[in-house]
């Protein structure tokens, strides 16, 4: 009996349970049935119900045997369809996951206005073929937060649909929105990389066919796109009606061919944080006129512009980086990036180039409208610079470039700006380390250069190696931070009539210049020169061939090279204040003179010495045939060898030095007054009255008096110094006067 009772009780419970979970009920015109799983599912529509019907995937409350139950509805029976039902107005889901919506389930529900699947967050969810096709009044669709795909014709002929927001969907059929003739706006929130329809492959350069999600069905319809995540490759390809585009603040990258051939697109808003435009991102957008500005901060400190990213567009300007970030940023610039962008007029780069794998040589091929280029960065980043060293890389494609500013903290490479025939003006900033030879070779229209390279010790070996060889410069402005003028920098620039320091049109050189290299200004038609007070060294031929008529040499000069001031013009007047200046870094050396005129040229006609001059360099006035008189300062202590050698017309010398300056060598006054066979004896030498005897007995000076080596000269010295103290040291007689020690020839020894 106990076993029988147990069996009967169990059977009754199963029957009761079966009755509960197999129970059918109707709620708001929809028929449901309970399932053993604890869910309910939709099994149909109550034909007697006369109101509007809302299909709900979510919690459903029903009453059974006087008890209320709430169960989630997550599915529709597989054999149920609502196709053609004109009373269904809404489909709503409040679940994060539902199992399925049967294919064509709501097809031709002509009064369906709203579909809200926004709560769904299931990567496996899909909207099957024809699910909402023909729902002509459907105007509001909220797609799931995450789903797998939208199938063929899922929303076909939903002519009431004006806008749509896409979240995280992996694949969309190219026919999903076929004949949605009023779908004008798309908002793209998708963070996933899209798959080709019906494939396990990502959208890529081989996907530009019928597998494109919108290309066929919406290409001529959608006019507005709002993109809030990095644009997936190819996604908006070929949407020829697209005119309005907005990028959200989270967009940092535009994918491969994302907007290629959107021929009506002229510009976009937002996009301030975009740092990468991948290959063909806007390729063929023939109406695009927007200036491209990439100035956002980013973690990787690099920007990228892919192959043909903007080819065949009308973009007007390109700016990459900012003044504040150019110290740290680089640009990966790929071939043909801006090919045939003939409307581009200006390029500004605050970046270096990033790697040797890039090939930017053709990046601006066909950009015939570019007139202005600025390039500034702290580092070049380009490990293989051969493309720049010999043919200028992408820059030589800017065939109509007129104005160039380079402020990279790096070198300018050999031939980097080679043969830019339209280039008129160049500014080289203070961040540039040095400028290689022939950097601007062939830039025949170049007339104006602003030079601020501070310490370029990369001197050039000849005129033909100058960065500006083959150019006929008319204006050259030297920045205030420049300390060295490289050898042969402006050699041969015979048309250079406007040469001055930046901010001071009356001075040729800024105050910071310390050294001038060999031949730096050779042949430049300078007429008047006042060297800065801090100048220390002037190389040979530095101002040779100029048209100088006046020169002022400051006290600071310590070294000067031969023929530094060979002049090709009229008589030259020199003011010499250098306290101690050596000739070619030596006081005794063979070579042409500092102001040596050369064959048939004019030379120095007058030289005035400053009161603090102590030593004159060798060959200072060598062969100065126009020099007729000279006055030596009281402070002078020595004169270099051949300083006045071959000054054939020098007939008057006045020395204010109390003690005769030491003559370094035997040729200081050789050839002076050479037309007169009597030589120095008939040259007027005026000396301080109390020093006459010293000069008559001093080595070299005595030749002016014919008293060299005679006892008479010694007697005169002794007689002239009667008020001086005589001392004998080591058997030699010396004279002490004014705190100085002289020998009997009048030469100062201490």
């Amino acid at each position: 009996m106990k076993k029988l009772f147990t069996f009967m009780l169990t059977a009754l419970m199963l029957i009761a349970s079966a009755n509960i979970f197999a129970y059918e009920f109707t709620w708001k015109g929809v028929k449901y049935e309970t399932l053993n799983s604890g869910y309910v599912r939709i099994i149909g529509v109550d034909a007697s119900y006369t109101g509007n019907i809302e299909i709900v995937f979510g919690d459903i409350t029903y009453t059974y045997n006087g008890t209320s139950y709430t169960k989630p509805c997550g599915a529709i029976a597989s054999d149920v369809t609502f196709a053609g039902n004109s009373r269904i107005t809404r489909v709503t889901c409040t679940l994060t996951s539902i199992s399925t919506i049967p294919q064509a389930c709501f097809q031709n529900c002509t009064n369906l206005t709203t579909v809200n699947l926004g709560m769904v967050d299931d990567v496996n969810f899909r909207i099957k073929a024809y699910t909402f096709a023909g729902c002509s009044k459907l105007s509001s669709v909220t797609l799931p937060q995450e789903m797998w795909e939208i199938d063929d014709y899922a929303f076909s002929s939903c002519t009431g649909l004006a806008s749509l927001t896409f979240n995280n969907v992996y694949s969309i059929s190219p026919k999903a929105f076929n004949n949605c003739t009023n779908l004008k706006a798309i908002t793209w929130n998708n963070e996933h990389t899209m798959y080709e329809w019906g494939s396990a492959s990502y959208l890529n350069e081989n996907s530009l066919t019928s597998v494109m999600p919108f290309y066929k069905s919406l290409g001529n319809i959608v006019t507005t796109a709002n993109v809030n995540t990095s644009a997936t490759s190819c996604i908006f390809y070929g949407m020829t009606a697209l005119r309005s585009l907005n990028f959200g603040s989270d967009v940092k990258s535009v994918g491969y061919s994302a907007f290629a051939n959107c021929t009506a697109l002229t510009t976009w808003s937002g996009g301030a944080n975009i740092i990468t435009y991948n290959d063909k991102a806007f390729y063929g957008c023939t109406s695009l006129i927007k200036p491209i500005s990439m100035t956002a901060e980013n973690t990787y400190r690099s920007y990228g512009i892919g192959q043909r990213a903007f080819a065949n567009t009308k973009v007007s300007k390109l700016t990459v980086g900012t003044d504040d970030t150019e110290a740290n940023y680089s640009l990966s610039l790929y071939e043909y990036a801006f090919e045939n962008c003939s409307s581009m007029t200006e390029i500004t780069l605050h970046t270096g180039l990033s790697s040797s794998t890039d090939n930017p040589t053709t990046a601006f091929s066909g950009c015939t409208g570019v007139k202005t280029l600025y390039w500034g960065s702290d580092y070049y980043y380009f490990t293989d610079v051969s493309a720049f060293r010999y043919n200028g890389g992408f820059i030589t494609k800017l065939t109509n470039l007129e104005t160039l500013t380079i402020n990279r903290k790096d070198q300018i490479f050999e031939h980097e700006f080679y043969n830019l025939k339209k280039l008129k003006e160049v500014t080289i900033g203070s961040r540039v380390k040095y400028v290689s030879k022939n950097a601007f070779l062939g830039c025949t229209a170049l007339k104006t250069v602003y030079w601020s390279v501070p310490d370029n010790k990369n001197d050039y070996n000849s005129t033909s190696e100058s960065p500006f060889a083959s150019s006929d410069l008319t204006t050259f402005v030297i920045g205030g931070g420049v300390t060295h003028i490289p050898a042969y920098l402006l050699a041969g620039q015979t048309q250079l009539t406007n040469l001055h320091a930046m901010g001071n049109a009356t001075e040729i050189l800024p105050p910071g210049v310390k050294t001038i290299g060999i031949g730096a200004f050779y042949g430049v038609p300078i007429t008047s020169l006042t060297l800065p007070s801090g100048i220390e060294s002037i190389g040979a031929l530095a101002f040779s061939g100029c048209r100088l008529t006046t020169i002022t040499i400051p006290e600071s000069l310590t070294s000067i090279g031969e023929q530094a001031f060979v002049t090709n013009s009229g008589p030259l007047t020199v003011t010499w204040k250098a306290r101690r200046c050596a000739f070619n870094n030596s006081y005794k050396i063979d070579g042409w003179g500092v102001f040596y005129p050369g064959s048939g040229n004019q030379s120095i006609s007058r030289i005035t010495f400053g009161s603090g001059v102590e030593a004159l360099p060798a060959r200072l006035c060598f062969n100065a045939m126009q020099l007729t008189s000279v006055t030596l300062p009281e402070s002078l202590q020595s004169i270099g060898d051949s300083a006045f050698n071959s000054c054939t017309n020098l007939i008057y010398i006045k020395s204010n030095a109390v003690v005769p300056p030491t003559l370094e060598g035997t040729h200081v006054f050789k050839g002076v007054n050479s037309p007169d066979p009597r030589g120095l004896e008939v040259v007027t030498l005026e000396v301080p009255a109390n020093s006459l005897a010293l000069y008559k007995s001093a080595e070299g000076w005595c030749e002016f008096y014919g008293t060299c080596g005679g006892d008479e000269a010694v007697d005169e010295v002794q007689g002239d110094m009667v008020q001086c103290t005589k001392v004998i040291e080591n058997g030699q007689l010396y004279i002490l006067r004014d705190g100085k020690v002289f020998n009997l020839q009048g030469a100062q020894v201490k």
Side-chain angles (χ1 to χ4, degrees):
M1 286 293 293
K2 186 175 182 180
K3 290 183 179 181
L4 178 60
F5 175 78
T6 302
F7 172 78
M8 291 178 64
L9 179 60
T10 302
L12 289 171
M13 291 177 62
L14 288 173
I15 292 172
S17 176
N19 287 337
I20 293 175
F21 291 105
Y23 178 72
E24 295 182 6
F25 62 93
T26 299
W27 184 72
K28 293 186 178 181
V30 180
K31 291 183 177 181
Y32 299 88
E33 72 171 353
T34 60
L35 301 175
N36 292 335
S37 61
Y39 281 78
V40 298
R41 67 176 181 175
I42 297 172
I43 58 174
V45 176
D46 184 355
S48 64
Y49 186 73
T50 58
N52 291 333
I53 297 174
E54 178 178 2
I55 305 298
V56 177
F57 298 98
D59 289 345
I60 303 297
T61 300
Y62 63 94
T63 300
Y64 176 71
N65 289 336
T67 302
S68 293
Y69 298 91
T70 299
K71 302 292 184 183
C73 175
I76 299 176
S78 60
D79 59 344
V80 173
T81 179
F82 297 101
N85 191 311
S86 60
R87 289 185 295 149
I88 297 176
T89 59
R90 295 177 63 89
V91 175
T92 304
C93 180
T94 60
L95 301 177
T96 58
S97 179
I98 60 176
S99 58
T100 184
I101 298 177
Q103 180 171 314
C105 186
F106 297 100
Q107 185 176 9
N108 295 328
C109 290
T110 55
N111 285 310
L112 178 62
T113 61
T114 303
V115 173
N116 187 346
L117 304 174
M119 292 296 292
V120 177
D121 189 13
D122 186 346
V123 70
N124 295 310
F125 181 75
R126 55 184 290 197
I127 299 176
K128 295 185 177 181
Y130 296 95
T131 297
F132 299 102
C135 296
S136 56
K137 292 184 180 179
L138 182 59
S139 60
S140 175
V141 174
T142 304
L143 292 174
Q145 296 302 304
E146 186 171 28
M147 61 180 298
W148 179 248
E149 65 183 7
I150 302 175
D151 212 336
D152 282 342
Y153 303 102
F155 292 92
S156 178
S157 298
C158 290
T159 54
L161 197 58
S163 64
L164 198 57
T165 297
F166 292 89
N167 299 311
N168 294 315
V169 57
Y170 283 93
S171 183
I172 301 173
S173 166
K175 302 174 184 178
F177 300 94
N178 190 57
N179 203 34
C180 290
T181 54
N182 290 305
L183 182 53
K184 303 295 185 182
I186 290 177
T187 298
W188 191 257
N189 297 332
N190 195 354
E191 296 179 356
H192 292 315
T193 301
M194 292 286 291
Y195 283 88
E196 288 185 355
W197 173 251
S199 168
S201 301
Y202 291 122
L203 289 171
N204 55 42
E205 59 185 314
N206 299 316
S207 302
L208 305 181
T209 63
S210 59
V211 301
M212 294 292 295
F214 304 126
Y215 175 47
K216 295 294 185 181
S217 59
L218 299 179
N220 296 316
I221 299 173
V222 171
T223 59
T224 302
N226 301 297
V227 181
N228 295 315
T229 55
S230 293
T232 303
S233 297
C234 309
I235 193 63
F236 296 99
Y237 173 88
M239 303 190 80
T240 57
L242 184 64
R243 288 179 171 81
S244 177
L245 173 61
N246 175 70
F247 285 112
S249 59
D250 291 334
V251 179
K252 296 184 178 180
S253 175
V254 180
Y256 173 88
S257 288
F259 298 93
N261 293 332
C262 292
T263 53
L265 184 64
T266 59
T267 187
W268 63 78
S269 59
N273 293 319
I274 295 176
I275 59 173
T276 302
Y277 293 98
N278 285 288
D279 293 353
K280 295 186 177 181
F282 289 91
Y283 172 80
C285 293
T286 53
S287 299
L288 186 63
I289 59 174
K290 179 180 176 62
I292 306 303
S293 180
M294 305 171 69
T295 57
E297 294 280 347
N298 66 85
T299 303
Y300 301 104
R301 299 193 177 277
S302 61
Y303 300 100
I305 302 177
Q307 185 182 82
R308 289 187 166 89
F310 293 94
N312 299 324
T313 66
K314 296 178 182 177
V315 295
S316 56
K317 296 180 181 180
L318 170 65
T319 302
V320 184
T322 69
D323 286 332
D324 294 331
T325 61
E326 67 184 16
N328 301 304
Y329 280 72
S330 66
L331 170 65
S332 293
L333 180 66
Y334 288 85
E335 58 185 350
Y336 302 106
F338 293 91
E339 181 185 30
N340 296 328
C341 292
S342 58
S343 297
M344 183 183 291
T345 60
E346 184 178 329
I347 299 172
T348 300
L349 303 176
H350 296 286
T351 64
L353 296 182
S354 63
S355 74
S356 61
T357 58
D358 301 341
N359 180 15
T361 305
T362 58
F364 297 98
S365 179
C367 293
T368 55
V370 175
K371 301 295 180 65
T372 303
L373 169 64
Y374 172 90
W375 193 350
S377 64
D378 260 6
Y379 299 101
Y380 208 90
Y381 286 106
F382 203 83
T383 55
D384 179 6
V385 299
S386 60
F388 292 87
R389 182 176 290 131
Y390 300 112
N391 61 28
F394 71 80
I395 298 160
T396 56
K397 302 300 180 181
L398 305 177
T399 55
N400 290 317
L401 188 67
E402 295 181 357
T403 303
L404 170 68
T405 300
I406 298 294
N407 200 23
R408 301 190 310 243
K409 193 176 180 181
D410 208 315
Q411 73 184 83
I412 292 178
F413 296 101
E414 182 179 349
H415 292 179
E416 184 169 351
F417 302 98
Y418 173 74
N419 215 31
L420 294 175
K421 297 296 186 182
K422 302 290 183 67
L423 187 61
K424 298 177 182 178
E425 180 179 304
V426 170
T427 299
I428 303 175
S430 59
R431 295 160 61 86
V432 176
K433 292 180 179 179
Y434 63 90
V435 182
S436 298
K437 63 181 181 180
N438 293 317
F440 298 91
L441 183 67
C443 298
T444 53
L446 182 58
K447 298 298 182 184
T448 302
V449 173
Y450 296 89
W451 177 277
S452 295
V453 183
D455 189 21
N456 188 345
K457 293 301 177 65
N458 184 41
D459 290 333
Y460 310 105
N461 295 315
S462 66
T463 300
S464 62
E465 287 189 355
S466 166
F468 312 107
S470 77
S471 299
D472 290 323
L473 302 180
T474 59
T475 299
F476 195 90
V477 180
I478 304 173
V482 174
T483 61
H484 175 69
I485 307 297
Y488 296 104
L489 177 66
L490 296 173
Q493 297 293 342
T494 58
Q495 306 302 312
L496 184 55
T497 56
N498 185 15
L499 172 65
H500 63 87
M502 192 173 295
N504 190 341
T506 63
E507 298 291 341
I508 289 178
L509 297 172
V513 172
K514 301 294 184 184
T515 55
I516 299 174
I518 296 172
F521 297 98
Y522 184 95
V524 176
I526 305 170
T527 58
S528 179
L529 175 65
T530 299
L531 291 165
S533 59
I535 192 76
E536 297 173 356
S537 174
I538 300 174
L541 301 171
F543 294 90
S544 181
C546 297
R547 300 175 185 175
L548 289 166
T549 57
T550 61
I551 300 173
T552 300
I553 306 292
E555 294 183 0
S556 57
L557 189 69
T558 58
S559 176
I560 194 165
E562 61 180 302
Q563 294 185 279
F565 295 100
V566 173
T567 181
N568 287 332
S569 56
L572 175 63
T573 299
V574 177
T575 300
W576 185 277
K577 299 180 181 180
R579 299 180 67 87
R580 286 189 168 273
C581 183
F583 178 63
N584 284 352
N585 294 315
S586 172
Y587 288 95
K588 296 180 181 180
I589 190 170
D590 290 333
W592 300 112
V594 173
F595 298 97
Y596 181 72
S599 177
N601 292 324
Q602 295 288 335
S603 182
I604 185 171
S605 61
R606 181 181 179 185
I607 186 166
T608 301
F609 295 101
S611 59
V613 175
E614 298 176 356
L616 298 182
R619 297 184 176 265
L620 176 62
C621 298
F622 178 77
N623 205 36
M625 292 178 288
Q626 285 76 40
L627 191 63
T628 59
S629 66
V630 66
T631 299
L632 303 175
E634 182 180 359
S635 56
L636 190 62
Q637 299 175 12
S638 65
I639 303 176
D641 194 12
S642 294
F644 297 96
N645 190 339
S646 299
C647 293
T648 56
N649 292 303
L650 180 60
I651 59 174
Y652 175 79
I653 300 173
K654 180 179 180 179
S655 176
N656 291 317
V658 174
V659 177
T662 302
L663 304 183
E664 305 285 353
T666 60
H667 298 87
V668 174
F669 296 106
K670 182 180 180 181
V672 168
N673 193 31
S674 62
D676 194 314
R678 291 174 295 175
L680 294 179
E681 293 185 26
V682 294
V683 173
T684 300
L685 174 62
E686 183 178 342
V687 300
N690 293 336
S691 300
L692 179 61
L694 289 174
Y695 278 87
K696 284 185 176 181
S697 61
E699 184 176 355
W701 294 103
C702 59
E703 294 183 16
F704 287 89
Y705 303 100
T707 57
C708 293
D711 294 336
E712 181 182 353
V714 176
D715 292 340
E716 287 190 35
V717 171
Q718 294 174 338
D720 190 46
M721 293 187 173
V722 292
Q723 298 182 11
C724 299
T725 302
K726 299 178 182 178
V727 297
I728 297 177
E729 184 177 319
N730 296 327
Q732 296 291 327
L733 178 64
Y734 295 96
I735 299 173
L736 273 65
R737 182 179 181 182
D738 298 330
K740 300 177 182 179
V741 180
F742 303 89
N743 61 24
L744 292 181
Q745 284 72 44
Q748 183 180 350
V749 295
K750 291 184 181 178

